[in-house]
Amino acid sequence: MSDTTAGAVDRRRVTIAQVAKRAGVSTSAVSHVFNGRPNVSAATAARIRKAADDLNWRPNLASRKLSGSAGRSLGLVLARSRDTFQRDPFTMRLIAGLTEPLAAIGWSLSLTLVRAEDEAEVYRQWWTEQRVDGFLLVDVRTDDPRVSLLQHLSAPAVMLGAPVPGSTIPAVTVGDADATGALLDHLDGLGHRRIARVGDGPSLAHTGARDARFTAAARARGIDAIVLAWRADAEDPVADLLGRLDGATAIVLDGEAIAAEVIAHAPELGVRVPDDLSVVAWEDSWVSSIVRPTLTALDAPVEESARTAVALVERLVRGEDVSDAEVSGRALHVRGSSWRAPTTGRPTPHAPTAPTEGDR
């Protein structure tokens, strides 16, 4: 008995010709629709996609690669540690923010974590093997070798964050001028006249841009601003930071995870938040609501940045000219970690004491 007799399942693959026949079009029209070419009417494209759905058909990736078409995928290579997704809420928001706009254009996300020394090779391999159509760069450094590499490969790419001087890769930036002013006005209104900005990545391009914007805005308001680096390799990073504040009564940290660490540990060192020290984070996430006191933070338009970056990469792949884009600024969410500046000065931090018998 034949496999195609009644009751049996036809396991042969559906072909593009069958889809074309069902939709009443040519095979080239089907190919054009699934390769994103604009020379098919919307009504015809919808009929073709419905026919493909009815037959459970999609283009064969291997065939598309052999024909010179890439995998319709956006490459995101992160030189991060394995606990990135546990410690960095921003990365999870970014990935979630990329899924919807990519799905809308029929692309996928190719994501990997690599060691810093392997980063360049992954970019080169993914592009030469046609695994991706373009790249999204995050954590861009001031002297980033990826920029020259992708320019050399002529690979479409967009970066998130401050643009790199001399680079032809377009950047998606956040309009943070108003957010910086709103943050400083908030702290100034609480009586803070010496404020520290704490960056956690001195080599990152956006860190320098934030430092310059912060100090200029503080100077315009007559606020004494200092810029410090978070030393993650210190024996006690929080104690190290508190020991370098030099009289600052408020601090603004780049990440909410670090800010939460300060809020949790500072009282053990004799510095109460927010009574002695106000703490603000430059990024906002669910972390801000679970610490006590809750964390005053600036909420970045991560999802808008993701949508904009996807749109720019797609345009680059189509051969269009693309320039830098700016998305809306951060919104300040005032919570419990920022309060009036202490009138008697901030106490000097000390080493935590061992708990007494009654504390155990």
Side-chain angles (χ1 to χ4, degrees), residues 74 101-102 105 107 133-136 156-160 169-173 304-327:
L74 177 69
L102 286 172
I105 62 173
W107 287 34
D133 288 273
F135 294 96
L136 178 62
V158 170
M159 63 180 72
L160 287 186
I169 297 178
V172 176
T173 60
E304 183 184 356
S305 296
R307 287 195 304 271
T308 303
V310 168
L312 293 184
V313 173
E314 185 189 22
R315 288 177 56 193
L316 286 171
V317 171
R318 290 177 180 270
E320 299 180 24
D321 291 331
V322 170
S323 56
D324 296 342
E326 183 177 276
V327 298

Side-chain angles (χ1 to χ4, degrees), residues 110-164:
S110 295
L111 168 68
T112 188
L113 297 179
V114 299
R115 297 178 302 178
E117 58 267 30
D118 298 329
E119 189 177 33
E121 182 56 33
V122 172
Y123 281 94
R124 189 184 303 277
Q125 182 179 23
W126 279 14
W127 181 248
T128 56
E129 293 181 357
Q130 298 185 11
R131 297 190 187 186
V132 297
D133 288 273
F135 294 96
L136 178 62
L137 303 184
V138 298
D139 300 332
V140 181
R141 284 90 75 185
T142 51
D143 185 17
D144 200 316
R146 295 176 298 174
V147 173
S148 57
L149 171 62
L150 292 176
Q151 289 176 162
H152 173 71
L153 295 173
S154 297
V158 170
M159 63 180 72
L160 287 186
V164 175

Side-chain angles (χ1 to χ4, degrees), residues 31-56:
S31 177
H32 289 173
V33 167
F34 282 92
N35 281 292
R37 296 174 186 169
N39 54 339
V40 178
S41 71
T44 301
R47 191 166 72 249
I48 291 172
R49 290 190 181 280
K50 183 179 186 307
D53 289 341
D54 291 343
L55 296 173
N56 294 318

Side-chain angles (χ1 to χ4, degrees), residues 10-28 30-31 34 48 51-60 63:
D10 186 352
R11 300 186 184 278
R12 293 174 296 180
R13 288 185 181 275
V14 176
T15 66
I16 189 173
Q18 290 172 289
V19 175
K21 181 178 179 181
R22 189 180 185 93
V25 298
S26 65
T27 56
S28 63
V30 179
S31 177
F34 282 92
I48 291 172
D53 289 341
D54 291 343
L55 296 173
N56 294 318
W57 178 88
R58 284 296 181 271
N60 182 274
S63 297

Side-chain angles (χ1 to χ4, degrees), residues 129 132 170 180 189 211 258 326 344:
E129 293 181 357
V132 297
T180 303
D211 291 345
I258 293 175
E326 183 177 276
T344 58

